[in-house]
Amino acid sequence: MADHSWSTSANPTYRVLIIGCGLAGLAAAIGIRRVGHEVTILEKAAELQELGAGINVSPNGTLIFREWGILDAIKDKANIPYAASMRSYKDSFQLFSQPLGRQMEELYSAPYLVIHRADLHSVLVQEADRLEIAIHLDSHFTRINFSDPSVELSNGKTYDADIILGADGERSACRDALLGYNIPSQDSGDHVFRITVKASDVAQHKDLMELVQPPCVNLWVGPGANAITYALKRDGLLNVVLTCAHDISKTIQHGPRRVEIHEAREAFGKWDDKFQTLLSLAQGCTKWTLLQTPEALYWTHPDGKFALLGDSAHAMLPYLGQGAAVAFEDAAVLGTLFSKVQHKSQLPDILSIYERLRKPRTTALRSRSQAMRDVYAFDDGPLQQERDRQLQHHAPFDGFPNFLADPVLQKSMFSYNAIDEAEKAWDTYLRGEWPSTRGMWNVVSREA
Ligand SMILES: Cc1cc2nc3c(=O)[nH]c(=O)nc-3n(C[C@H](O)[C@H](O)[C@H](O)COP(=O)(O)OP(=O)(O)OC[C@H]3O[C@@H](n4cnc5c(N)ncnc54)[C@H](O)[C@@H]3O)c2cc1C
Ligand SMILES: *[C@@H]1O[C@H](CO)[C@@H](O)[C@H](O)[C@H]1NC(C)=O
Ligand SMILES: *[C@@H]1O[C@H](CO)[C@@H](O)[C@H](O)[C@H]1NC(C)=O
């Protein structure tokens, strides 16, 4: 069990204000509070609602939870899938199966898990309470002063701090304030149906049982569309998410709206009988437009007192299932760097180190996620046939059509240790070798 007490080091402590109490904001708050700083979160929602559905957390994310001593609490509410299967829409034939479960844990010393977003959020909120992080709800920010860091809320209140972090999600007002212009979220060309199905109903159908027993991630691929299912611990639900291409001219549907299940059945009408049986078990259906948001050109303000993290910095399409995981990496890097600061004049430097450390990685993941979208959506024909041949008859190679099995991507995704990377970066900085800082690495010896 990791040490639960927070740091007692003699380093100075600073006041950090975080905008947004999603997974990114909460995780950063925990990472920074654990090492002794004062943290306040401002969240526009009037209450912390239990929203969302299933998310994946891959080993480099769960590694961070272990370090923070909250992995066991998270595992209690999570499932550890045994494998991830890719299937064809035509006959549900299994094209490829990638072991997860014990194999991932042995390879990367941390589990690959699936969990309801609300359950993960609630464990983080509990940990934030334990660490005495102040969470102010009903706090919608309207203005940030980047030079003399402070935040003004719509109710007139203001908060000041030494550092402000923006974690207000994909349609980020913090990002617009930082850049000085609005980056509109675009229609990605896909929309999503989320369907509620009880895992126990699925298990009663002989030909569907393999979807839930043993618990596996299943990904079907078909022309212009894909579907993913996995069992969640919460309420015995099977998480079912269907994605399909649409006419890009249609108006954007932000956030889930209830629709009749027949809309999804129509869109997936050409899929095989097994899949139709699965859809027949639906108890409810919601639909929304999948957004695509250009990446912010930079994440930190030139005055060195503000940075973005999570989706506001690098929202990505969901095809690698890494959105939450990268947010936890951001948080671990920030927490590690905040544990090092010896002097206030180093704060701008740690924000530049953070951005330089993180951005190439998230940019690469964003583009790989985009590429997976196409691979999952091939029309029947030569591209699809070659993809399926590789999946069935070829050992995984760099660029393999199942990203979980791609040896190069897998290693870079899952063996990345955000805490180690930040430690190494700090050591480089202390030698005066980190590019683009204000050079405050020797401020303490200079003052002595
Ligand atoms: C309601 C919801 C449901 C989701 N469901 C899923 C899911 O089922 N599966 C999945 O993989 N991912 C889901 N996600 C996305 C996933 O949580 C994120 O991709 C990832 O966790 C990174 O999150 P984030 O904290 O950067 O952003 P978000 O999770 O979007 O959190 C941003 C937070 O900032 C708050 N905020 C926004 N504007 C302001 C403002 N002006 N002032 C103060 N606060 C503000 C928001 O209310 C929100 O709490 C969901 C996100 C949300 C918000
Ligand atoms: C693991 O690393 C990959 C990139 O290499 C990243 O996308 C992902 O978010 C990381 N996962 C976790 C859980 O931190
Ligand atoms: C930020 O705050 C300082 C000090 O209160 C003030 O002088 C400055 O004008 C403010 N900047 C903006 C952009 O509001």
Side-chain angles (χ1 to χ4, degrees):
M1 197 73 163
D3 180 12
H4 269 221
S5 62
W6 49 86
S7 160
T8 52
S9 85
N11 279 350
T13 64
Y14 299 107
R15 291 170 309 139
V16 179
L17 200 54
I18 297 179
I19 300 172
C21 195
L23 297 178
L26 268 171
I30 292 169
I32 294 169
R33 176 64 185 149
R34 281 182 86 255
V35 299
H37 302 283
E38 239 179 75
V39 182
T40 302
I41 304 180
L42 303 175
E43 165 58 50
K44 77 171 174 189
E47 51 186 320
L48 292 175
Q49 293 166 325
E50 303 230 310
L51 293 173
I55 57 175
N56 300 266
V57 191
S58 47
N60 45 343
T62 51
L63 202 76
I64 295 163
F65 299 140
R66 162 153 342 117
E67 189 67 26
W68 291 353
I70 55 175
L71 181 57
D72 289 338
I74 289 166
K75 272 167 104 177
D76 277 349
K77 294 172 186 266
N79 279 340
I80 297 187
Y82 172 80
S85 297
M86 252 174 109
R87 295 172 185 274
S88 162
Y89 81 103
K90 266 187 220 162
D91 46 13
S92 292
F93 180 76
Q94 182 175 294
L95 297 166
F96 188 82
S97 176
Q98 165 66 30
L100 296 173
R102 193 181 305 160
Q103 194 193 70
M104 281 284 167
E105 191 138 15
E106 275 167 9
L107 275 175
Y108 301 114
S109 336
Y112 186 108
L113 51 82
V114 294
I115 186 169
H116 196 288
R117 180 180 178 276
D119 286 334
L120 181 51
H121 195 265
S122 75
V123 173
L124 296 180
V125 169
Q126 256 172 40
E127 180 64 4
D129 285 345
R130 196 187 69 79
L131 293 172
E132 294 166 10
I133 292 166
I135 301 178
H136 297 293
L137 300 175
D138 220 348
S139 299
H140 190 149
F141 97 91
T142 50
R143 249 163 55 97
I144 305 178
N145 185 327
F146 292 106
S147 48
D148 191 12
S150 65
V151 168
E152 199 177 299
L153 303 184
S154 57
N155 61 15
K157 275 193 199 152
T158 60
Y159 291 84
D160 60 354
D162 297 308
I163 289 283
I164 301 173
L165 298 174
D168 57 343
E170 179 159 26
R171 297 169 67 208
S172 169
C174 286
R175 182 181 60 219
D176 291 350
L178 169 68
L179 300 175
Y181 56 90
N182 171 256
I183 297 188
S185 294
Q186 298 156 1
D187 183 338
S188 70
D190 284 339
H191 61 272
V192 178
F193 295 102
R194 183 183 286 149
I195 286 168
T196 324
V197 178
K198 283 217 170 319
S200 54
D201 290 347
V202 176
Q204 279 174 12
H205 284 262
K206 228 181 21 234
D207 53 340
L208 292 183
M209 213 165 80
E210 61 176 335
L211 299 183
V212 289
Q213 201 51 257
C216 282
V217 175
N218 281 283
L219 170 72
W220 283 261
V221 290
N226 69 70
I228 188 161
T229 67
Y230 50 84
L232 292 171
K233 203 166 249 180
R234 190 186 182 92
D235 303 331
L237 284 179
L238 186 70
N239 194 60
V240 182
V241 177
L242 317 181
T243 305
C244 63
H246 63 195
D247 236 344
I248 215 143
S249 61
K250 291 199 180 133
T251 46
I252 292 185
Q253 168 65 46
H254 287 296
R257 170 176 58 97
R258 271 181 198 292
V259 295
E260 296 294 329
I261 179 69
H262 75 75
E263 260 198 60
R265 297 186 78 160
E266 224 162 82
F268 286 77
K270 294 210 177 76
W271 288 40
D272 84 330
D273 292 347
K274 253 191 207 182
F275 200 79
Q276 302 307 325
T277 312
L278 178 64
L279 293 187
S280 75
L281 302 175
Q283 299 185 330
C285 181
T286 58
K287 179 184 175 185
W288 67 96
T289 308
L290 196 57
L291 299 177
Q292 180 158 32
T293 306
E295 190 170 15
L297 276 178
Y298 49 90
W299 301 352
T300 53
H301 190 276
D303 287 346
K305 292 159 187 166
F306 175 88
L308 296 171
L309 75 148
D311 280 2
S312 68
H314 47 61
M316 56 185 77
L317 291 171
Y319 302 115
L320 296 181
Q322 290 288 328
V326 277
F328 300 136
E329 286 183 357
D330 290 347
V333 166
L334 284 167
T336 306
L337 293 173
F338 268 94
S339 75
K340 307 291 186 186
V341 188
Q342 307 146 321
H343 191 276
K344 195 168 179 175
S345 64
Q346 288 176 333
L347 290 174
D349 283 351
I350 67 166
L351 296 187
S352 350
I353 297 172
Y354 153 77
E355 177 171 341
R356 194 180 173 89
L357 202 52
R358 297 292 304 144
K359 203 160 190 294
R361 191 170 167 78
T362 58
T363 304
L365 282 168
R366 275 172 54 91
S367 69
R368 186 63 185 263
S369 218
Q370 174 77 48
M372 286 324 288
R373 173 193 187 229
D374 300 335
V375 173
Y376 291 162
F378 288 148
D379 283 336
D380 289 344
L383 287 167
Q384 162 264 328
Q385 285 158 17
E386 177 60 2
R387 175 197 68 198
D388 294 356
R389 183 195 67 80
Q390 292 183 340
L391 284 167
Q392 291 172 78
H393 303 300
H394 217 294
F397 50 86
D398 185 6
F400 194 64
N402 183 312
F403 76 90
L404 282 172
D406 177 336
V408 177
L409 186 68
Q410 191 193 82
K411 192 149 187 290
S412 86
M413 282 203 306
F414 299 157
S415 61
Y416 177 92
N417 184 322
I419 296 169
D420 285 354
E421 295 297 317
E423 294 272 356
K424 276 190 267 173
W426 181 259
D427 291 343
T428 310
Y429 171 69
L430 284 189
R431 292 195 302 270
E433 290 173 5
W434 193 271
S436 304
T437 68
R438 295 165 189 222
M440 291 300 162
W441 50 277
N442 61 356
V443 65
V444 174
S445 56
R446 265 195 258 162
E447 284 191 350

